[in-house]
Amino acid sequence: LGLMGVAKDSYPRDGDTYSFVVGFAEVEVDVETGKTTLVDYLAVADVGTVINPRSLHGQILGGINLGVGHALQQKWVYDQQWGVPLAKRFHHNKPLTILDIPATMHTLAIGLADPETPTGARGVGEPPVGAGYGSVMNAIADAVGEDIFRRAPVTADIVLTSLEHG
């Protein structure tokens, strides 16, 4: 009633493949209110052979927006004694909406095949999150002239304090 196929490849790999994504963010910081707005974004991904370009674009943008949300809006607070999250609901942590991201966000894929996988492709799940977070935080730090990485999410009061001291 069933058929089972078993195969072994001869690719010389150790089982680990890594993808890389780099992000470039442009932000505007209102010096009077401290409001930070993401204006433009470009992500370049090294994910091996691109099998489905449209799906890859969506996957990269989804991860980027998660990282941008961590940088600009979401503050995860944990109980110091028990380590349980205290801010678990949307009214504690506002996720990004369509109004919080630029109208156009661009993605590019390098498209070099990975020699250690049968199709030359690699996964792209988590690397865009770090690229989104890091690039937005760096853009804000460059705009206000201060290291703000220990104070995410970047809120208006943090930006105004940085501008007063910088």
Side-chain angles (χ1 to χ4, degrees):
L1 294 174
L3 174 66
M4 176 188 234
V6 179
K8 181 174 182 344
D9 64 40
S10 60
Y11 287 96
R13 65 176 184 274
D14 59 3
D16 295 330
T17 58
Y18 300 99
S19 296
F20 301 94
V21 178
V22 62
F24 302 92
E26 180 182 350
V27 298
E28 285 182 355
V29 177
D30 187 335
V31 295
E32 292 181 10
T33 65
K35 180 174 175 16
T36 302
T37 306
L38 181 60
V39 177
D40 195 11
Y41 198 93
L42 168 66
V44 180
D46 180 11
V47 294
T49 301
V50 178
I51 295 174
N52 186 334
R54 188 172 177 184
S55 178
L56 176 67
H57 177 74
Q59 183 75 27
I60 293 172
L61 289 183
I64 287 167
N65 287 324
L66 181 61
V68 170
H70 290 319
L72 296 179
Q73 295 179 187
Q74 299 171 354
K75 183 171 178 112
W76 293 97
V77 180
Y78 291 88
D79 181 274
Q80 290 188 1
Q81 181 178 0
W82 302 104
V84 297
L86 300 174
K88 300 186 283 188
R89 305 280 181 165
F90 283 149
H91 64 276
H92 293 128
N93 272 322
K94 179 186 177 290
L96 285 177
T97 68
I98 196 72
L99 301 174
D100 299 318
I101 59 173
T104 57
M105 296 177 75
H106 305 283
T107 63
L108 297 172
I110 294 175
L112 296 175
D114 183 355
E116 296 190 356
T117 63
T119 61
R122 291 179 284 197
V124 68
E126 295 299 324
V129 178
Y133 179 83
S135 59
V136 168
M137 293 296 283
N138 273 314
I140 296 169
D142 185 53
V144 300
E146 186 176 327
D147 180 20
I148 56 169
F149 277 103
R150 288 174 275 141
R151 294 180 276 189
V154 179
T155 57
D157 58 333
I158 291 173
V159 172
L160 290 175
T161 303
S162 299
L163 288 170
E164 289 170 4
H165 292 91

